[in-house]
Amino acid sequence: MKHIIDIKTWERKENYEFFLGFQNPTISITSEVECSGARTRAKTAGESFFLHYLYAVLRAVNEIKEFRFRIDSEGRVVYFDTVDMLTPIKPDVFLQYDFPGILILRLSTQKPKPSLAE
């Protein structure tokens, strides 16, 4: 279910209004996560590590309310009871999505090759 935030009474109103005028008011944090134990358990069980990891990420996202906030098509700040994920990614293929306002996931069992710009 979608919940509309009343900006006038929202405890994060000042932060929201400060960043609202920025050209790109998003933040991206990348972190290395040690997950060899999860990979071993998935492979031992004959399960896809990709799906195992994707489930863990989605579960964590749904446990933290702030990860479920969005700005809807009408420009309102909203949050959802739960969020879902759609991915056309094949397991063990590195893809990177960087879209403003969307949780960025970098999932791979291989280190990406440096781009020509680096």
Side-chain angles (χ1 to χ4, degrees), residues 38-90:
R39 180 171 169 74
T40 300
R41 285 189 300 279
K43 293 304 176 186
T44 300
E47 299 171 352
S48 162
F49 170 70
F50 173 80
L51 295 177
H52 186 87
Y53 187 79
L54 193 62
Y55 170 78
V57 169
L58 192 55
R59 182 173 172 186
V61 165
N62 277 304
E63 288 179 5
I64 301 170
K65 182 178 179 180
E66 287 76 12
F67 284 158
R68 294 180 275 125
F69 277 74
R70 304 288 186 270
I71 296 177
D72 72 6
S73 61
E74 296 176 34
R76 302 174 299 191
V77 177
V78 299
Y79 75 92
F80 294 88
D81 293 329
T82 60
V83 293
D84 297 316
M85 187 177 297
L86 173 66
T87 176
I89 303 170
K90 290 174 46 179

Side-chain angles (χ1 to χ4, degrees), residues 8-52:
K8 295 174 189 166
T9 60
W10 190 29
E11 67 274 6
R12 300 181 76 173
K13 174 185 176 184
E14 289 182 23
N15 290 340
Y16 171 74
E17 289 177 343
F18 176 78
F19 287 104
L20 186 61
F22 282 39
Q23 184 176 357
N24 185 12
T26 63
I27 186 168
S28 173
I29 298 173
T30 302
S31 177
E32 290 187 27
V33 178
E34 201 295 308
C35 52
S36 60
R39 180 171 169 74
T40 300
R41 285 189 300 279
K43 293 304 176 186
T44 300
E47 299 171 352
S48 162
F49 170 70
F50 173 80
L51 295 177
H52 186 87

Side-chain angles (χ1 to χ4, degrees), residues 86-89 94-99 102-106:
L86 173 66
T87 176
I89 303 170
F94 180 87
L95 290 177
Q96 174 177 321
Y97 293 94
D98 289 312
F99 295 109
I102 296 176
L103 178 66
I104 297 171
L105 300 177
R106 292 174 176 91

